[in-house]
Amino acid sequence: MTNYLEKVRETSAMSRRNFIKASAAATAALTATGLTGCANQVKTADTGEAGPNVGSDGRNLVDGTWVSAACWHNCGGRCVNKVLVQDGVVVRQKTDDTHEDSYDHPQMRGCGRGRSQRQQVFSADRLKYPMKRKHWEPLTGGDKSLRGIDEWERISWDEALTYVADEIKHVMDAYGPRAIYCPGGDDIFRTLALNGGYTYSHSTSSVGNWAWLHNYGYGFIGLEGNDRYDLFNSDYVVMFGSNPAWSSAGNPSWFYKHLKDAGVKFIAIDPFFNDSYDLLDAEWIPVYPGSDAALLLGVAHTMLAEDGEKGLIDWDFLHTYASGFDAESMPEGADPKENFMDYVLGTYDGVPKTAEWATEHCGAAPEAIRKLAEVMGKANNVNLFSAFAPGRIINAEYFPAIFATVGLMGGHIGKPGNSVTTSSNSWAANSRTDMFVAGQTGLEPLPNPIDDMINDVDAWDAILEGKYLHTGMTYLFQPGEVRDIDIHIIYHGGLNGGSVGTEVCSLQTKPNLNKGIEVHRKVDFVVTQAYTYNTDARYSDIVLPVTTEWEREGRLFNYQKEAMIAYGKVCEPLFEAKSDQQVARELAEKLGLNPDDAFPISEKQQYFNQLATAALLDETGTPQPVATITQEDIDAWGVEGTPQEGLIPLQQWIDQGVFSVPRSKDDAYAACIGYAAFIEDPVANPRPTASGKFEIYSPTVRDMFASTTRENGVASATPVWQPILDGYEGSFANWETKEKGPYPYIVYNPHYLRRSHSTFDNVGWLRNAWAHPVYISAQDAREKGIADGDTVILWNDNGKTLRPACVTERLMPGVVGLPHGGWVDIDEETGIDRGGADNILCGSHTSVSGVIGWNSCLIDFAKYDGEPLMADIEKPQTVIF
Ligand SMILES: Nc1nc2c(c(=O)[nH]1)N[C@H]1C(S)=C(S)[C@@H](COP(=O)(O)OP(=O)(O)OC[C@H]3O[C@@H](n4cnc5c(=O)[nH]c(N)nc54)[C@H](O)[C@@H]3O)O[C@H]1N2
Ligand SMILES: Nc1nc2c(c(=O)[nH]1)N[C@H]1C(S)=C(S)[C@@H](COP(=O)(O)OP(=O)(O)OC[C@H]3O[C@@H](n4cnc5c(=O)[nH]c(N)nc54)[C@H](O)[C@@H]3O)O[C@H]1N2
Ligand code: SF4
Ligand SMILES: [Mo]
């Protein structure tokens, strides 16, 4: 063990020497340099045509100090980002070069978005000063219909915070804390909690129906998978709805490519033959969005039908580790007829879920389904993977359970070369089993005294109608209860999740944007903390400009399994921006509260605490502090702390931007197999379910869904197929005759390279690189007379939006791909959105669980006969001051 830690230390020391060599220039402190003028200078340097080491102004782009800089968005990856600072000006960016790149010790390289970060931070459309809407009036809102189109007036911080505090005080007196809706803002939450509370939101956003496996029934808490080295032991990787090349930037696609090169075969189940499948030479099985459960039932039926001849099912495995597969393994007290196998065979409902039955629902050929059944058989080593996308569908509540069950049928859990798991975001192709203990800021939780939480899918209706269905928090259901709610203030406070960059779902990213705008024009007061003129800011009365992570003390990220990314401050706050926490403190003061009660320790101390408490779990699973901290460090930082021995000196970690662990196929982490302990000894290590096994039949899930009182869909203990009402089945007016309805196409939202959700959409370089078209299949385009590049209008009852067409053979006919996150841009004359905002089309529909169906929406589309769209790169930025 000591040897291993020694090796880690040595690697750090080596890269430290390289680092010092590379950045021989002075380490002049930047903090004193006001960078208000920095934006212009950076632009000159960036847009220069000159060679790589000389800026257009002749500036030498080699000398200076490389500083670790944040790339903090919720982007599916987490990478090292460095900026070259010269005389206080950021002139260049680079990524991880702390060591040679290898499979054993990969660099944590950034993507195009991260490398364009300076164009976001130093953008001309940064919010620079507090401002108020010209026709806003205190306490009444003034002309509220002008929200989103009004002019802006610059005001002082004192004025702005006084206005906000007065609105809050007024609403607290008149209606109480429940009237304040605050869907996001880790820092402002603390101030509002101290002030009496606020109404909060929750959502299944990323994971969709995967939420129902995380904590309940099946015991797949977080769906354990295997380490990346183990994947070489597999014959097949079967991928449902996975596009790491777009949505898991960083190393996952590269890890997958190593598997392909080693001879592992890939099968892709997806409406889109995406770039990842192309890279991996995957065999493509096209399916309609939301139809995966149907396809998998066809696979299960085929496995049962062909088991006698081919020996596909591992019966011992099923009976030992799962309950509810067949009549003999049903839990005590349950009706034996409700077992999964008899459901698949159609024993009692008269509908055998054959490959042909599945084809009618999913669109995949019966031969492809039969082939997949053979692949899933027990003779093969299979990693059955899905990203989250196929879970973000209404009526697909039972897809994750059916997915897991098919994996269990072939015995693909808990053994080398086999796993059944979500493979998504930064842990795609490398199970998320942690190698680190995250550092803690030292801020104790400050709970909200109010328990009102509105599901994002219901939020806008709730505010318009004055009532909502309270079901507790996503993942932790309480029985559905209709409550009155009377929202007067919307406070968009920024990001959630105990760390930056995690999901909130703002006006832009919640379903039903047109209804959201109506709500924003109804309530008494809207305030937003933002650094860029995002959709929340646009539809507000008062906007408070905040710093980006580049202008803050620093933070620690441990989203990457094998690396801890640390970054510090790049520059002082631009213009009049303040950190979210500073805003929360100053507002607390205006509200007559003591800001120290909300934030008893400084932002610097919080950063230090994170670094000091981060630990590597060594090969025995024992936490080893990462940072070596001396008394001199503590004194230099001016914080409280205790010296400690770690694996890398504190300042070196921050200078490098990363502490990463060299790996090898023989290390203890490589042997990490999901659920191995349970498989080895299911009695000693039971699953946290009633039966102690994987529960294919789950009364917990049935009761949970039944308790919501939502009507669309069934609450069932047996995982069953449900027609997708906002998907393929719903696209027909008459399913029997196959007569199409008014909205015959399924639109879904691929997470897109140009952006991290809506973030980065204002960055010119990225607009230049990625056009944000709408993907249309060649067949549908032919039928509609649409050519590549034509402006297309997409519509349904929720709204209308425009995009240029990208006509492709890689998309299944009947399916339309509208990338996620385009900034809404409503033409007030026509009501049509020119920004291709996905949530213009996503409605406030849900099903029995309350899941949000981003990838199940119905639309029609046509060639647009109005003025064609200009390319996004031509669109001017909105610079207010
Ligand atoms: N139609 C549709 N909608 C979707 C999805 C979909 O697929 N389709 N996907 C959903 C998913 S998976 C997710 S995770 C959510 C994400 O939803 P969001 O988290 O709302 O998405 P972002 O666009 O990343 O929003 C971040 C916003 O916070 C601002 N911001 C960033 N850093 C800071 C900061 O430090 N302080 C403050 N005050 N503001 C900051 C950014 O400028 C940006 O406007 O979207 C969901 N919405
Ligand atoms: N560039 C970029 N990367 C991101 C993000 C971003 O906004 N931009 N967002 C990050 C976040 S927070 C999240 S949650 C993840 C989301 O990442 P994912 O959940 O992986 O979602 P997508 O990348 O949209 O889609 C992955 C694949 O699923 C397919 N798909 C869609 N619906 C279905 C379906 O019903 N069935 C099947 N079989 N396939 C389907 C799509 O065609 C696509 O090929 O991405 C993360 N990464
Ligand atoms: S994947 Fe995310 S963290 Fe990494 S460089 Fe790209 S945007 Fe930044
Ligand atoms: Mo997400």
Side-chain angles (χ1 to χ4, degrees):
M1 181 42 42
T2 328
N3 290 345
Y4 183 75
L5 293 178
E6 271 315 308
K7 195 173 117 203
V8 171
R9 265 196 207 99
E10 265 170 32
T11 317
S12 308
M14 235 160 57
S15 39
R16 169 67 174 165
R17 281 193 292 276
N18 292 341
F19 175 80
I20 292 171
K21 222 166 45 193
S23 62
T27 48
L30 293 158
T31 40
T33 327
L35 282 194
T36 320
C38 162
N40 296 330
Q41 295 181 57
V42 165
K43 278 219 192 85
T44 322
D46 284 350
T47 51
E49 300 287 300
N53 290 331
V54 184
S56 60
D57 55 357
R59 184 190 281 268
N60 154 347
L61 298 181
V62 178
D63 296 334
T65 311
W66 284 104
V67 178
S68 303
C71 198
W72 67 96
H73 305 293
N74 183 17
C75 58
R78 283 290 180 261
C79 317
V80 175
N81 202 347
K82 297 251 187 83
V83 295
L84 181 66
V85 182
Q86 220 177 64
D87 306 328
V89 175
V90 173
V91 295
R92 230 176 169 174
Q93 271 189 251
K94 70 173 180 182
T95 182
D96 192 1
D97 59 356
T98 50
H99 56 270
E100 289 295 314
D101 195 39
S102 67
Y103 186 80
D104 285 342
H105 196 191
Q107 296 172 345
M108 297 293 156
R109 292 195 204 169
C111 75
R113 296 182 301 277
R115 293 173 194 225
S116 310
Q117 187 69 264
R118 63 190 143 152
Q119 272 213 348
Q120 183 181 222
V121 172
F122 302 123
S123 169
D125 66 356
R126 266 295 294 268
L127 296 173
K128 305 178 184 75
Y129 314 105
M131 53 195 200
K132 78 171 187 49
R133 195 165 64 75
K134 187 167 181 185
H135 296 92
W136 173 72
E137 299 287 338
L139 306 186
T140 66
D143 186 348
K144 301 192 280 193
S145 69
L146 291 177
R147 287 189 187 134
I149 48 178
D150 211 346
E151 288 170 61
W152 291 100
E153 288 173 351
R154 183 177 163 181
I155 54 177
S156 70
W157 268 107
D158 187 58
E159 272 176 290
L161 289 171
T162 306
Y163 282 139
V164 176
D166 286 351
E167 296 288 329
I168 291 176
K169 282 184 210 156
H170 169 71
V171 165
M172 287 291 286
D173 290 347
Y175 313 100
R178 298 180 69 228
I180 301 169
Y181 177 58
C182 183
D186 269 345
D187 295 307
I188 205 66
F189 285 158
R190 299 179 74 87
T191 296
L192 292 177
L194 209 59
N195 193 49
Y198 56 96
T199 291
Y200 182 43
S201 72
H202 69 86
S203 152
T204 56
S205 60
S206 306
V207 300
N209 291 303
W210 290 104
W212 324 131
L213 277 188
H214 276 224
N215 293 321
Y216 289 92
Y218 303 88
F220 282 93
I221 295 172
L223 282 158
E224 294 172 17
N226 302 358
D227 184 80
R228 64 183 163 99
Y229 282 94
D230 177 70
L231 305 185
F232 290 97
N233 295 319
S234 54
D235 304 306
Y236 291 92
V237 172
V238 177
M239 298 169 108
F240 279 71
S242 307
N243 190 7
W246 283 19
S247 57
S248 303
N251 289 321
S253 299
W254 189 64
F255 291 161
Y256 275 129
K257 183 155 181 306
H258 279 81
L259 297 180
K260 177 199 141 184
D261 293 345
V264 176
K265 292 189 255 334
F266 287 80
I267 298 177
I269 294 97
D270 200 302
F272 191 42
F273 186 75
N274 64 39
D275 289 346
S276 313
Y277 307 144
D278 191 24
L279 173 80
L280 301 170
D281 282 344
E283 191 174 327
W284 181 32
I285 306 180
V287 291
Y288 295 115
S291 70
D292 305 276
L295 174 124
L296 282 163
L297 287 171
V299 169
H301 190 280
T302 309
M303 288 176 81
L304 286 164
E306 298 184 355
D307 182 48
E309 185 194 332
K310 298 181 180 164
L312 299 174
I313 300 176
D314 189 339
W315 290 99
D316 282 348
F317 187 90
L318 268 177
H319 287 144
T320 311
Y321 300 109
S323 74
F325 182 77
D326 49 14
E328 67 177 91
S329 61
M330 284 293 273
E332 217 171 302
D335 180 351
K337 288 183 176 165
E338 291 186 6
N339 72 79
F340 181 74
M341 184 173 84
D342 281 311
Y343 169 71
V344 173
L345 295 174
T347 312
Y348 303 109
D349 69 0
V351 185
K353 317 300 178 297
T354 60
E356 283 72 16
W357 171 88
T359 295
E360 198 185 352
H361 293 277
C362 72
E367 299 70 44
I369 296 172
R370 282 193 270 270
K371 162 123 197 256
L372 188 54
E374 204 160 324
V375 165
M376 290 307 301
K378 66 180 180 193
N380 293 318
N381 289 316
V382 181
N383 284 290
L384 181 60
F385 285 169
S386 176
F388 292 149
R392 295 196 294 272
I393 304 262
I394 70 162
N395 295 120
E397 272 85 0
Y398 303 103
F399 155 66
I402 295 172
F403 174 88
T405 304
V406 168
L408 288 168
M409 287 172 76
H412 298 300
I413 288 184
K415 311 169 186 168
N418 293 272
S419 68
V420 178
T421 184
T422 52
S423 182
S424 211
N425 291 31
S426 55
W427 64 93
N430 196 9
S431 106
R432 69 188 308 192
T433 317
D434 293 323
M435 283 175 56
F436 286 101
V437 180
Q440 300 297 321
T441 59
L443 280 180
E444 296 295 327
L446 197 53
N448 183 3
I450 302 301
D451 81 338
D452 284 286
M453 283 176 279
I454 310 180
N455 187 326
D456 278 344
V457 78
D458 301 324
W460 307 141
D461 281 326
I463 299 175
L464 291 174
E465 291 166 13
K467 60 181 172 29
Y468 82 103
L469 183 68
H470 179 269
T471 54
M473 192 74 172
T474 309
Y475 320 149
L476 301 168
F477 274 69
Q478 290 163 17
E481 173 199 342
V482 178
R483 290 189 182 179
D484 287 336
I485 194 84
D486 183 16
I487 299 295
H488 287 260
I489 290 182
I490 298 178
Y491 198 130
H492 290 295
L495 300 169
N496 280 357
S499 120
V500 282
T502 47
E503 58 220 33
V504 175
C505 290
S506 57
L507 173 55
Q508 174 67 56
T509 49
K510 272 194 196 6
N512 214 334
L513 233 163
N514 274 320
K515 207 179 266 183
I517 291 172
E518 191 184 336
V519 163
H520 279 67
R521 287 177 172 161
K522 170 185 182 251
V523 296
D524 295 346
F525 181 63
V526 186
V527 53
T528 294
Q529 291 173 203
Y531 61 78
T532 191
Y533 195 50
N534 62 19
T535 304
D536 293 339
R538 178 181 290 262
Y539 287 91
S540 290
D541 295 315
I542 290 207
V543 174
L544 308 173
V546 299
T547 50
T548 67
E549 284 289 290
W550 284 20
E551 301 139 70
R552 298 182 186 174
E553 291 299 340
R555 210 179 285 260
L556 187 62
F557 273 140
N558 77 321
Y559 291 78
Q560 294 280 5
K561 174 172 174 176
E562 297 166 14
M564 277 274 206
I565 292 175
Y567 57 79
K569 196 185 221 180
V570 171
C571 59
E572 287 299 304
L574 295 180
F575 303 95
E576 290 188 6
K578 294 177 193 276
S579 75
D580 284 303
Q581 199 165 106
Q582 188 58 25
V583 175
R585 286 187 67 91
E586 291 182 21
L587 186 65
E589 223 163 294
K590 289 275 184 207
L591 288 166
L593 307 165
N594 179 359
D596 292 342
D597 291 343
F599 304 98
I601 52 176
S602 71
E603 290 183 59
K604 191 157 197 177
Q605 180 77 53
Q606 291 164 39
Y607 178 37
F608 177 85
N609 290 349
Q610 275 194 311
L611 294 163
T613 54
L616 171 70
L617 290 168
D618 69 19
E619 291 188 278
T620 67
T622 313
Q624 303 284 347
V626 174
T628 296
I629 300 175
T630 61
Q631 189 58 47
E632 293 77 65
D633 290 327
I634 295 167
D635 295 344
W637 279 60
V639 292
E640 284 178 23
T642 324
Q644 65 183 33
E645 177 70 12
L647 300 167
I648 184 171
L650 183 70
Q651 194 54 44
Q652 181 185 340
W653 186 8
I654 298 169
D655 289 345
Q656 281 185 189
V658 64
F659 171 77
S660 57
V661 183
R663 297 286 317 277
S664 99
K665 65 179 176 18
D666 303 317
D667 69 29
Y669 311 107
C672 277
I673 308 282
Y675 304 105
F678 170 59
I679 300 300
E680 204 156 287
D681 188 346
V683 178
N685 308 299
R687 302 306 310 147
T689 56
S691 61
K693 298 183 178 188
F694 295 131
E695 292 190 343
I696 293 170
Y697 177 88
S698 174
T700 317
V701 167
R702 176 197 58 211
D703 296 348
M704 182 176 82
F705 291 162
S707 79
T708 68
T709 70
R710 290 190 192 270
E711 278 173 357
N712 173 11
V714 295
S716 169
T718 315
V720 293
W721 163 250
Q722 306 182 88
I724 310 294
L725 298 186
D726 275 1
Y728 185 61
E729 285 73 18
S731 71
F732 294 95
N734 186 326
W735 174 253
E736 298 305 321
T737 63
K738 295 287 183 287
E739 179 201 340
K740 279 287 188 182
Y743 298 121
Y745 296 90
I746 309 163
V747 70
Y748 80 102
N749 306 142
H751 286 221
Y752 189 49
L753 276 169
R754 176 161 116 190
R755 297 180 287 264
S756 167
H757 308 282
S758 65
T759 305
F760 291 113
D761 208 33
N762 52 335
V763 172
W765 288 342
L766 299 174
R767 286 187 175 191
N768 217 357
W770 292 291
H772 184 191
V774 58
Y775 297 96
I776 297 173
S777 87
Q779 182 182 316
D780 292 340
R782 250 190 324 272
E783 285 170 15
K784 297 255 186 195
I786 292 170
D788 207 58
D790 283 351
T791 297
V792 171
I793 179 161
L794 306 102
W795 74 91
N796 61 19
D797 291 343
N798 303 313
K800 297 176 179 161
T801 187
L802 302 178
R803 275 298 89 193
C806 174
V807 176
T808 174
E809 296 283 359
R810 285 161 59 157
L811 186 62
M812 213 180 163
V815 181
V816 171
L818 178 65
H820 167 50
W823 288 15
V824 71
D825 174 17
I826 305 269
D827 176 346
E828 294 290 326
E829 301 261 296
T830 61
I832 299 174
D833 164 44
R834 293 168 294 212
D838 44 356
N839 282 308
I840 288 288
L841 301 173
C842 290
S844 316
H845 308 292
T846 183
S847 46
V848 63
S849 64
V851 69
I852 302 189
W854 313 113
N855 285 336
S856 51
C857 297
L858 293 174
I859 56 157
D860 202 354
F861 66 96
K863 186 169 167 174
Y864 184 53
D865 56 12
E867 198 183 324
L869 279 180
M870 67 169 83
D872 286 356
I873 182 67
E874 307 292 334
K875 267 190 177 178
Q877 281 189 316
T878 311
V879 181
I880 300 167
F881 297 111

